[in-house]
Amino acid sequence: MKRNKEDGMFDYYLRLALRRCRQNLPMVGLLVLTMAIGIAATMTAMTIFGALAGEPLPGISSHLYVATMDAREAVDKDNPDYKQPDSLLKFSDAKALVDAHHAMQQVAVAASLTQFARPDGKRSEKAYGLMAYGPVLQVLGVPLRHGRSWTEAEQASAAPVVVIDTEVAQKLFGTENAVGRSVTLGRRDFRVIGVSAPWNPRVRMFDVRQNQGTVMGQKEMFLVPAQAALDAGVGPLLAGECGKGAPVASFQSAAVGQCRWIETWVRLDTPATVATYDRFLAGYANTQHDAGRFVYPPQAKLVGTQAWLALNHVVPDDVHLNLLLAGGFLLLCLVNVAGLLAARFLRRQGDVAIRRALGASRRTVFVQHLVETGLLGLIGGVLALPLTWLGLWIVRMQPVSYADAAKFSPGVFGVLFALSLIVGLLVGILPAWRVCRLPPALQIKLG
């Protein structure tokens, strides 16, 4: 019975709020437009920030760490000082870390770009992917649709096997399940042993030190054993850092024997295992330094995924700045709306006084005015919806590296309306409290 009474009172407050909104449409229009602009600006900034600041691989990357050290093998006056951790290693060092099996899982990876072709030459496709040493599908959580990953024996023998994604399979063979087919990479034919679902990190997390302004993760359309790829003349996307006197490694060259071009990533689930692996990594690097290979103190350490992205400014600083500015602008809008609501409510002091004199409690008056501000907030949210679409469209038209992150989603829709309701209630608390605090006699006198 009490519940029905409360529902009835809420319906009454809602009808009263709608009637009062219709009584002064210009003021209502100004209120909701001010809220809508602030909400839309904040939602645009939050959408971009949320797309870029989350985990690159949800549920996985929070447990991934990249091995870093100063692995330079020669003194070179042209080399920059070692001012921040460097993840690029020679292939031999990366293999040594992976083969040591000191982590739950470990893999060495490098980005690559190569041409796939059918052996008959009828179809070909250029694709981005990863050269890897270790169980890359398991470590990175790549979803496998058909087939399997390569075995340790196939990796050790540099067997020409490859895992492609469904998009490459469809374009080359017209079917998703291409397991058992052959594709040409470089100068060799590779056997397709697995087909993965479309997969890519949300933001770029590999080779970020060589990042050319790219923020969004790209589709990794193939996975291939690193040694097999090198033997076929397929190299990493960038040669990395080559020692003085080393043969010049051109774009996508496989002549990277004297270069540092590959990263080692390990999965560690507890602080204790992180500390243990950190000691192992430091021990390995110091051993190489003591043996004379690494000419500088290696300063080896593990870096977590999010820390690595922040260290290398993968998410541009202006994304954080835009979010702060949008929040400040929303706060300014709230202050203005609160002032307009206070003026609007105080003009009704006579009505409030009569209700108080007839027995209405302060709580009743407060809730009634709060329902009205909540309704105004929801109306502002409806108006903010097209403004948010417009804001995201404007961002997509800009020549910025994160333009593709400006996409509207159902999650954004839900957050927008929750934010609009919260904004409406927040800005209404103080004006509603002020109008219900005045004694009825004083309200009648003022009215």
Side-chain angles (χ1 to χ4, degrees), residues 64-356:
L64 293 181
Y65 297 79
V66 62
T68 69
M69 65 184 74
D70 187 349
R72 289 178 288 181
E73 297 184 7
V75 177
D76 188 348
K77 65 179 182 180
D78 295 327
N79 276 359
D81 294 334
Y82 189 77
K83 295 181 179 179
Q84 69 179 60
D86 188 353
S87 60
L88 297 179
L89 302 174
K90 275 190 171 182
F91 191 30
S92 58
D93 291 310
K95 286 200 297 183
L97 294 177
V98 172
D99 290 339
H101 297 289
H102 273 264
M104 290 181 57
Q105 296 174 322
Q106 49 273 303
V107 66
V109 294
S112 184
L113 171 64
T114 190
Q115 190 81 19
F116 279 73
R118 284 178 22 171
D120 58 15
K122 290 184 177 180
R123 293 182 185 175
S124 64
E125 179 71 18
K126 184 168 285 189
Y128 285 96
L130 294 176
M131 301 168 60
Y133 183 83
V136 62
L137 280 83
Q138 295 88 331
V139 176
L140 301 182
V142 180
L144 197 62
R145 287 273 181 87
H146 306 283
R148 59 178 178 84
S149 183
W150 55 80
T151 64
E152 289 191 10
E154 289 171 328
Q155 179 172 266
S157 64
V161 293
V162 66
V163 175
I164 60 177
D165 78 345
T166 53
E167 184 176 331
V168 174
Q170 286 282 358
K171 289 182 177 179
L172 292 182
F173 304 107
T175 179
E176 183 179 287
N177 189 354
V179 174
R181 303 289 189 97
S182 292
V183 292
T184 301
L185 277 76
R187 51 178 178 265
R188 295 186 67 179
D189 288 344
F190 282 65
R191 180 165 54 92
V192 177
I193 59 170
V195 178
S196 68
W199 177 85
N200 63 286
R202 290 172 57 179
V203 297
R204 184 164 181 170
M205 59 181 288
F206 307 118
D207 292 333
V208 295
R209 292 296 301 276
Q210 305 178 81
N211 192 1
Q212 302 299 314
T214 302
V215 176
M216 305 303 295
Q218 62 191 18
K219 286 184 180 180
E220 306 296 355
M221 304 172 75
F222 71 90
L223 303 164
V224 63
Q227 189 60 61
L230 293 173
D231 292 346
V234 176
L237 186 60
L238 297 171
E241 301 169 3
C242 302
K244 188 175 182 180
V248 177
S250 59
F251 178 66
Q252 296 176 238
S253 171
V256 290
Q258 298 185 45
C259 303
R260 290 178 285 120
W261 57 276
I262 195 166
E263 296 175 332
T264 299
W265 290 79
V266 298
R267 177 178 173 178
L268 302 163
D269 287 348
T270 66
T273 56
V274 173
T276 300
Y277 195 93
D278 213 19
R279 289 193 295 270
F280 158 72
L281 184 65
Y284 173 84
N286 290 331
T287 299
Q288 304 304 314
H289 177 60
D290 294 342
R293 279 194 62 218
F294 298 167
V295 298
Y296 298 100
Q299 305 177 53
K301 67 175 181 178
L302 285 175
V303 182
T305 302
Q306 292 297 114
W308 184 241
L309 299 181
L311 185 66
N312 290 280
H313 303 284
V314 172
V315 179
D317 294 336
D318 61 343
V319 173
H320 299 84
L321 179 60
N322 289 340
L323 183 61
L324 290 175
L325 291 175
F329 181 66
L330 178 61
L331 181 61
L332 180 62
C333 291
L334 294 185
V335 172
N336 287 326
V337 170
L340 291 171
L341 282 174
R344 175 179 169 84
F345 289 168
L346 289 174
R347 278 202 298 267
R348 301 185 195 146
Q349 290 176 100
D351 294 341
V352 173
I354 294 172
R355 291 194 61 205
R356 290 293 309 281

